[in-house]
Amino acid sequence: MSELEDLVGRLDRALAGADAALAASYPGDRGVRQPVHTVYVPGDSYDEKTVAQWAAESGRALAEHAGSAAEIAEAFDLSPELADAVYDRVRAKLAAEAIEDLRIDFEDGYGARPDADEDAAVTAAARALAATVRDGAAPPFHGIRIKSFEAPTRHRGLRTLDLFLEEVAGEGGLTDGFVITLPKVTSVEQVAAMVTALDALEAAHGIAAGSLRFEIQVETPQAILGSDGTALVARMIAAGGGRVTGLHYGTYDYSASLGVAAAYQSMEHPVADHAKDVMQVAAAGTGVFVSDGSTNVLPVGDREAVRSAWRLHSRLVSRSLARGIYQGWDLHPAQLPSRYIATYAFFRDGLDVASARLRAYVHGGESSYLDEPATAAALAAFVLRGVECGAVAADEVERLAGIDRAELAGLARRRIG
């Protein structure tokens, strides 16, 4: 054995623990699609018709207030060419898959009710979700938000989760797209407690061990900065034991906790940007998705009021996308047109350049960019997100970049299977 080989062997042994820790803590992309939004519906308002109703209402809002490509160009300040590329695709999306991710809300959107009332609402919602799963009408991603694990609401949150899982599992309604949202997390211990709870509930209801997943809602300052000066959200991901799928920013709870006046609470306030910057760094490489929050300015009223709210929502969505946050919350059916118009415009506006750079990277040829593997991965991930949400067709990518969807996923470092 040469001296160099001996040195390499010694370094391999010395770094084996660090190598294993890196692989365990930062496994990379989970190999699944990230929804562009999460829609919140109060638990007692949800039934088997909810998704279809949201689709119909969102389509009517688009038709009434921006019923052509020319009108969305005017309403959203898009070029005529981009509006033409977006309009029919958004109409088709609203008809076929208006909601990508649904959360049945038994927290702030539901409030505090007598136990008997919440029990009944939970059972009804679980049965409705299971029915839509069986008939293929459920959104690809769906789940429930329970009350927090803070002491005053812990028992009710667990009771709701237990009832919901019992009903959904019993009705054969659990899928890989099911997720639980844990709100107002203030400590690493609460995340560990959620893991303990899910272990017990899986065993109690005959659910495959380790299959239940949950999101952490970041809406308290304690999640961002602990009393010891560390970013607790990073430790929360680790404490999740592989069950954490997302970090969701809570716009209004977080801003209020920092004393921001109601008139200035926003997804683009500096305190919001700081929190989301920390969340992005904590989640990078872990396979955990980051989601922005919501705007509470709803597109209701006359045409000018609706379009004004649309322009605000569209700008905020576009801002999040540009910052590398590809998901947000929607709270009203009429927010779906602006969600998809902004999202589709983002992906279509960058499609030609991203595809040309990928073609040059894969096949060679003239390019004004010298792209490295990490940049090529980012380009591929951008295009793949566009395909997954419906903004881009896979055959367009083959024509423009000369690569198929499987090659695109490989370049994006998307794990398969």
Side-chain angles (χ1 to χ4, degrees):
M1 179 181 293
S2 70
E3 291 184 5
L4 178 59
E5 290 172 331
D6 179 63
L7 176 60
V8 170
R10 285 191 287 127
L11 293 182
D12 283 345
R13 291 188 292 274
L15 293 172
D19 291 342
L22 181 67
S25 298
Y26 300 98
D29 194 298
R30 292 206 314 277
V32 297
R33 161 189 171 191
Q34 181 178 10
V36 303
H37 69 172
T38 300
V39 162
Y40 277 82
V41 176
D44 58 339
S45 298
Y46 171 75
D47 61 29
E48 295 175 40
K49 299 177 182 177
T50 297
V51 172
Q53 289 169 344
W54 272 63
E57 290 180 35
S58 64
R60 282 196 297 269
L62 180 62
E64 181 178 353
H65 300 294
S68 67
E71 287 193 60
I72 70 164
E74 174 191 357
F76 292 89
D77 194 26
L78 301 179
S79 70
E81 296 77 16
L82 188 55
D84 282 338
V86 164
Y87 181 68
D88 285 339
R89 288 180 170 86
V90 169
R91 287 182 62 210
K93 180 71 170 183
L94 294 176
E97 192 181 70
I99 297 177
E100 290 194 357
D101 185 23
L102 171 71
R103 205 64 74 248
I104 304 168
D105 188 14
F106 284 96
E107 201 231 356
D108 284 350
Y110 180 79
R113 314 278 184 93
D115 279 340
D117 291 354
E118 183 160 341
D119 288 350
V122 169
T123 299
R127 289 174 178 168
L129 178 63
T132 64
V133 168
R134 290 195 303 269
D135 66 21
F141 306 95
H142 47 265
I144 181 177
R145 178 166 73 168
I146 61 172
K147 290 178 172 62
S148 80
F149 272 13
E150 290 292 284
T153 55
R154 188 178 304 141
H155 178 270
R156 182 63 256 186
L158 276 171
R159 178 168 171 162
T160 290
L161 183 56
D162 182 36
L163 283 171
F164 197 91
L165 290 174
E166 179 181 27
E167 198 67 42
V168 170
E171 295 289 327
L174 280 182
T175 73
D176 290 341
F178 181 79
V179 66
I180 303 154
T181 303
L182 182 65
K184 295 181 177 59
V185 179
T186 55
S187 68
V188 176
E189 289 78 8
Q190 287 181 358
V191 174
M194 183 64 163
V195 174
T196 298
L198 295 182
D199 285 341
L201 292 171
E202 286 169 345
H205 299 301
I207 300 168
S211 62
L212 292 176
R213 301 286 187 267
F214 67 101
E215 303 159 339
I216 297 170
Q217 277 198 271
V218 178
E219 44 190 344
T220 69
Q222 292 86 359
I224 295 299
L225 187 68
S227 60
D228 62 355
T230 63
L232 293 189
V233 67
R235 290 168 54 195
M236 289 174 182
I237 293 173
R243 290 184 184 267
V244 176
T245 62
L247 303 176
H248 284 227
Y249 177 67
T251 306
Y252 301 99
D253 281 87
Y254 188 87
S255 299
S257 295
L258 270 67
V260 178
Y264 298 96
Q265 293 173 7
S266 167
M267 294 161 59
E268 59 184 343
H269 192 282
V271 301
D273 285 343
H274 171 259
K276 288 177 285 188
D277 286 345
V278 175
M279 290 162 61
Q280 281 183 280
V281 173
T286 66
V288 172
F289 294 145
V290 174
S291 173
D292 213 327
S294 62
T295 175
N296 59 5
V297 179
L298 301 181
V300 297
D302 61 21
R303 172 173 283 208
E304 183 49 43
V306 170
R307 286 189 169 191
S308 176
W310 274 352
R311 284 190 289 271
L312 171 65
H313 188 221
S314 173
R315 181 173 63 77
L316 292 172
V317 171
S318 299
R319 184 178 187 273
S320 297
L321 291 168
R323 292 173 64 88
I325 300 177
Y326 296 98
Q327 185 176 354
W329 301 0
D330 291 326
L331 308 176
H332 190 278
Q335 288 183 322
L336 302 188
S338 46
R339 168 70 60 184
Y340 288 117
I341 287 169
T343 300
Y344 281 25
F346 175 79
F347 287 115
R348 294 211 62 85
D349 193 39
L351 176 63
D352 286 346
V353 171
S355 297
R357 291 172 69 176
L358 283 171
R359 177 179 283 275
Y361 181 82
V362 173
H363 301 293
E366 294 295 323
S367 175
S368 57
Y369 295 91
L370 184 60
D371 289 321
E372 297 180 350
T375 304
L379 289 165
F382 169 86
V383 176
L384 183 58
R385 287 180 184 276
V387 172
E388 289 175 332
C389 74
V392 177
D395 59 0
E396 287 184 278
V397 180
E398 292 193 45
R399 175 173 54 83
L400 292 171
I403 53 179
D404 61 24
R405 185 163 177 168
E407 292 172 306
L408 188 65
L411 283 169
R413 300 174 180 172
R414 173 73 64 85
R415 287 183 289 157
I416 304 299

